[in-house]
Amino acid sequence: MKFPIYFDNAATTAVDPRVVQKMITCLTSEGQFGNPASLSHSVGQAAKALVEWSRAEVASLIGAESSEIIWTSGATEADNLALKGAAQLYQRKGKHIVTLKTEHKAVLDSCEQLEKIGFSVTYLTPEPNGLLNLEKLAQALRKDTILVSIMHVNNELGVIQDIEAIAKITSARDILLHVDAAQSIGKIPINVANTPIDLLSMCAHKVHGPKGIGALYVRRKPRVRVAAQIHGGGQEQGMRSGTLATHQIVGMAEALRIAKEEMTHDYHHLKKIRDRFLAAISAHDPVVLHGDQATCYPGIVNLRFSKWTAKEFMQMFPMIAVSSGSACHTKGIEPSYVLRAMGLMVEQAHQALRFSFSRFTTEEEIDFAVEKIVESL
Ligand SMILES: Cc1ncc(COP(=O)(O)O)c(C=O)c1O
């Protein structure tokens, strides 16, 4: 067993060795190191072929066309491009955006920036279980609403929003829907061919791909447009300039290809791991689970122990790498805004811990961690 035991896979995952092998072939002079935009020679053409193979892989996972995939540096950039890019182009239609208070900061801070330049944003409060109330969403929509942004799997809680139901509401009103799928891509199915999602953010590093690469799905039929936020060489249909990082792109595609093939297996593995962990812990402590358990993605467990704050837990068990929702700010430690939005008290939020598992988490690791925790309870 390797220490610390890594239960922080919602923050990032280890790259799958199969992905590394594929990435290595795009770096040195023996491999496809060329600039995918240098099409006057075979070196560039070979790199371009790999980029397009990758685009097709990512597209096929979500039921999209290759031309609907725009490479970015990660989900943060994809979120920024979706929100700011759509706001800029559709502002003549209206200047109102609807989102949820429990979204990732990449969405919330983009909304805040848009507010500074004249857009108005409604931040919906989730239900105490973390889920979006569809009636509240419908009520929040206005004549001038141009965009709704709701994430698929929440990064702190693991709760899964009902994207199909949300898409029905937005498409009936001709409002764009952006989905942040950073935590769900390659883990649970999402299909833009069956669901009227207009924009969808993805990244590779939550699913055993490399950091620093992601993509934005931009619907073509009916045509959705986003204004570029990075200008330069005009790559990615002018929506995102910059030399494409072939090794990163191939790494993302390979990670998602494997994830697609192994999705059912991985899901059952995570469910088994999560159930084993929770059964053993709750036999000794009345832990409180945060977020709707019926819909939770099993790779993420957010809970609080009765006797420890998150800080105490992390000091006591340095051999277990987990995450707390609390964030360090200049003014001190701030409790998770996600848990606060769900109605938890400050003290309860300070107790919250996130355990997140992956394809590589073993039962042995679970048993070891549980044994250590239970010994101290
Ligand atoms: C839901 C969600 N959105 C966006 C991001 C940002 O992704 P990236 O690290 O690829 O910029 C993350 C990861 O932290 C996330 O969990």
Side-chain angles (χ1 to χ4, degrees), residues 74-76 79 104 151 155 180 182-183 203 205-206:
T76 298
D79 286 345
H104 191 269
M151 74 205 322
N155 49 302
D180 179 345
Q183 291 287 348
C203 66
H205 75 100
K206 314 284 187 189

Side-chain angles (χ1 to χ4, degrees), residues 133-164:
N133 180 322
L134 298 176
E135 273 172 32
K136 280 190 197 160
L137 169 66
Q139 281 161 14
L141 301 178
R142 312 191 315 214
K143 264 204 179 117
D144 62 338
T145 309
I146 49 169
L147 176 69
V148 169
S149 180
I150 304 290
M151 74 205 322
H152 193 196
V153 167
N154 182 278
N155 49 302
E156 284 193 31
L157 304 165
V159 294
I160 305 173
Q161 302 294 349
D162 188 348
I163 298 299
E164 274 182 35

Side-chain angles (χ1 to χ4, degrees), residues 18 26 32 34 54 79 94 113 144 152 169 192 203-204 211 237 243 283 307 311 314 316 354:
R18 293 170 286 183
C26 305
Q32 315 304 342
S54 303
D79 286 345
Q113 287 302 313
D144 62 338
H152 193 196
I169 295 171
V192 296
C203 66
K211 294 174 224 354
Q237 303 169 50
T243 300
K307 62 187 279 191
K311 196 173 163 203
M314 291 193 282
M316 283 179 70
R354 179 185 69 184

Side-chain angles (χ1 to χ4, degrees), residues 201-273:
S201 301
M202 301 167 253
C203 66
H205 75 100
K206 314 284 187 189
V207 61
H208 306 291
K211 294 174 224 354
I213 182 70
L216 180 67
Y217 157 78
V218 183
R219 179 174 289 281
R220 278 194 150 229
K221 283 186 199 149
R223 182 82 183 246
V224 172
R225 294 170 61 229
V226 290
Q229 302 301 306
I230 295 179
H231 303 94
Q235 290 90 343
E236 300 303 278
Q237 303 169 50
M239 280 182 258
R240 202 283 192 175
S241 289
T243 300
L244 294 174
T246 316
H247 62 299
Q248 300 289 82
I249 289 170
V250 164
M252 176 162 177
E254 182 66 358
L256 291 182
R257 188 193 64 74
I258 295 167
K260 186 179 174 190
E261 241 176 55
E262 301 183 359
M263 197 183 289
T264 310
H265 176 270
D266 285 349
Y267 189 89
H268 288 300
H269 170 68
L270 289 169
K271 198 167 172 311
K272 205 165 141 200
I273 290 278

Side-chain angles (χ1 to χ4, degrees), residues 258-329:
I258 295 167
K260 186 179 174 190
E261 241 176 55
E262 301 183 359
M263 197 183 289
T264 310
H265 176 270
D266 285 349
Y267 189 89
H268 288 300
H269 170 68
L270 289 169
K271 198 167 172 311
K272 205 165 141 200
I273 290 278
R274 190 257 324 254
D275 291 349
R276 189 180 182 97
F277 176 72
L278 284 181
I281 292 285
S282 50
H284 293 86
D285 189 79
V287 282
V288 177
L289 298 172
H290 304 136
D292 183 63
Q293 293 308 300
T295 64
C296 254
Y297 166 66
I300 300 179
V301 175
N302 194 311
L303 55 73
R304 61 180 194 268
F305 288 96
S306 55
K307 62 187 279 191
W308 299 312
T309 62
K311 196 173 163 203
E312 286 165 350
F313 180 95
M314 291 193 282
Q315 280 166 352
M316 283 179 70
F317 304 106
M319 74 297 268
I320 307 171
V322 292
S323 174
S324 78
S326 308
C328 291
H329 287 275

